[in-house]
Amino acid sequence: MSEFNAIIVDKDAETGKTNAELRQISVADLPEGDVTVAVDYSTVNYKDGLCIGPGGGLVRNYPHVPGIDFAGTVESSNDPRYKAGDKVVLTGWRVGEAHWGGYAQKARVKADWLVPLPAGLTTRQAMAVGTAGFTAMLAVMALEDHGIKAGPVLVTGAAGGVGSVATAILANLGHEVAAVTGRPETADYLTGLGASQIVAREELNETVKRPLEAETWGGCVDAVGGEMLARALGQMQYGASVAAVGLAGGAGLPATVIPFLLRGVNLLGIDSVMQPYDNRLRAWERIAKDLPMDKLEAMIQPAVLSDLPQLGRDILKGQVKGRVVVDVNA
Ligand code: NDP
């Protein structure tokens, strides 16, 4: 394969407008790196929506191949840790933002950024998990480190990527999950993933009126931020923790310090991008063990490279359900 398919985001020097389109590129075009990977699958995360949408979002150099995660097979390697034929997964390290990413049939990256595909997962399953699911696992692990209290665990943005995987993992670990969604039509889907309670987004989205409400949640994975996070903080049980993952509902935080002072609530920030190798490996091993594969299958929305410009717009509008898995070779 001398030339291969890639989604290229480019910026018009005069208008400053960006455009994403399917093009042919060759290995010589790829950025420097230790390992060349034949990509099997990539995914659509919220950040990808920002990178392929108008304005270019987080893209740091043009032309650019977006795609913040991928799984595939090593084609060649200058690093002794990897050899041709090894199956690998990549999330984070600003790939798809500052370094060309997974929306291409080949990628060349630093060996440090990869992890070996965990036993028990296919490359397709690994990307059904992808950055969103990997982050959901990091969030669950952070809650566990601080102790999950008895009672329901709140998951916000539940029908999205992070929320879907967090719901399935927590339920599989035996926790009662209260899934917050703005899409009532996803109730059956969320119940199927293991949620025992569906909470309407409006119930948690009002401006915080009282800094403390009834002690309700034993933990929380929050993908939404903004008012919803502020409201959740005031509803946590004494000493419970909130793993803050995202800002799909806004970057502001109209909260008070009262839940921290009077209820000992912990606010745990989750960053998937700069996770050291050992943490990444530990999280992927937990995913292979604690995420039921039939539930993961129920989250998958299949896609091909040419679908990406539209899917980028959809995810920014909160219209994607579960996990989009992009077969880059289809
Ligand atoms: P998705 O778009 O798949 O999911 C986000 C969900 O949030 C939506 O599906 C929707 O859920 C809900 N939502 C969207 N807009 C609003 C709104 N205005 N008010 C309330 N709820 C809203 O994105 P991901 O799951 O991939 O990512 C979620 C967030 O996590 C993003 O901000 C992303 O950038 C961040 N993230 C952070 C990472 C990290 O390392 N910290 C890694 C990965 C993601 P529903 O329809 O059920 O209400």
Side-chain angles (χ1 to χ4, degrees):
M1 193 199 288
S2 55
E3 290 215 311
F4 54 87
N5 292 331
I7 291 287
I8 300 282
V9 177
D10 216 344
K11 191 176 204 167
D12 185 294
E14 279 179 18
T15 63
K17 282 193 178 156
T18 60
N19 181 46
E21 64 182 14
L22 189 62
R23 280 197 218 156
Q24 294 277 299
I25 60 171
S26 68
V27 172
D29 298 321
L30 293 173
E32 291 293 301
D34 316 306
V35 184
T36 304
V37 179
V39 177
D40 291 340
Y41 297 97
S42 185
T43 80
V44 181
N45 297 275
Y46 195 86
K47 266 188 178 176
D48 295 315
L50 293 173
C51 290
I52 53 183
L58 307 163
V59 171
R60 291 288 165 264
N61 47 58
Y62 294 95
H64 193 78
V65 175
I68 66 167
D69 48 22
F70 62 78
T73 309
V74 171
E75 203 169 79
S76 63
S77 168
N78 296 330
D79 187 284
R81 286 169 288 177
Y82 295 99
K83 60 177 190 322
D86 288 349
K87 302 280 183 192
V88 289
V89 183
L90 179 141
T91 61
W93 305 99
R94 309 241 174 270
V95 170
E97 301 170 53
H99 186 98
W100 287 14
Y103 290 171
Q105 292 176 294
K106 288 178 199 284
R108 190 155 54 202
V109 294
K110 281 192 179 171
D112 287 345
W113 298 340
L114 294 165
V115 290
L117 185 74
L121 287 185
T122 63
T123 51
R124 179 171 174 273
Q125 288 166 332
M127 279 302 100
V129 175
T131 303
F134 172 72
T135 307
M137 188 75 242
L138 291 176
V140 171
M141 288 161 68
L143 291 183
E144 288 174 343
D145 286 347
H146 288 77
I148 299 178
K149 308 289 173 193
V153 178
L154 192 68
V155 175
T156 70
V162 174
S164 293
V165 180
T167 298
I169 292 173
L170 285 162
N172 189 52
L173 290 169
H175 299 288
E176 207 181 311
V177 176
V180 184
T181 184
R183 290 179 278 178
E185 68 277 14
T186 62
D188 287 348
Y189 163 75
L190 291 168
T191 311
L193 297 182
S196 40
Q197 194 180 335
I198 307 295
V199 181
R201 185 190 289 178
E202 301 75 53
E203 277 184 45
L204 276 147
N205 232 6
E206 295 158 18
T207 308
V208 185
K209 296 189 183 80
R210 286 185 294 148
L212 291 180
E213 299 180 70
E215 288 184 49
T216 308
W217 315 116
C220 172
V221 175
D222 173 58
V224 170
E227 287 181 3
M228 196 176 289
L229 171 56
R231 192 85 191 280
L233 286 169
Q235 298 181 353
M236 301 308 294
Q237 291 179 27
Y238 191 91
S241 302
V242 177
V245 168
L247 40 64
L253 183 56
T256 75
V257 292
I258 307 290
F260 309 111
L261 303 183
L262 298 188
R263 292 239 175 105
V265 170
N266 303 302
L267 181 55
L268 314 172
I270 306 299
D271 170 47
S272 65
V273 177
M274 308 305 270
Q275 287 291 321
Y277 179 80
D278 286 350
N279 290 3
R280 277 181 284 146
L281 210 53
R282 201 159 63 91
W284 278 108
E285 281 164 2
R286 283 285 310 269
I287 286 163
K289 181 166 143 296
D290 291 329
L291 176 59
M293 290 302 128
D294 59 329
K295 301 272 167 64
L296 185 64
E297 199 60 38
M299 296 174 206
I300 295 176
Q301 180 183 329
V304 297
L305 283 176
S306 56
D307 296 330
L308 284 165
Q310 181 59 45
L311 285 165
R313 289 191 281 276
D314 293 346
I315 197 162
L316 293 184
K317 289 190 216 142
Q319 288 173 349
V320 166
K321 188 177 87 178
R323 297 283 301 135
V324 178
V325 177
V326 184
D327 181 347
V328 304
N329 299 300

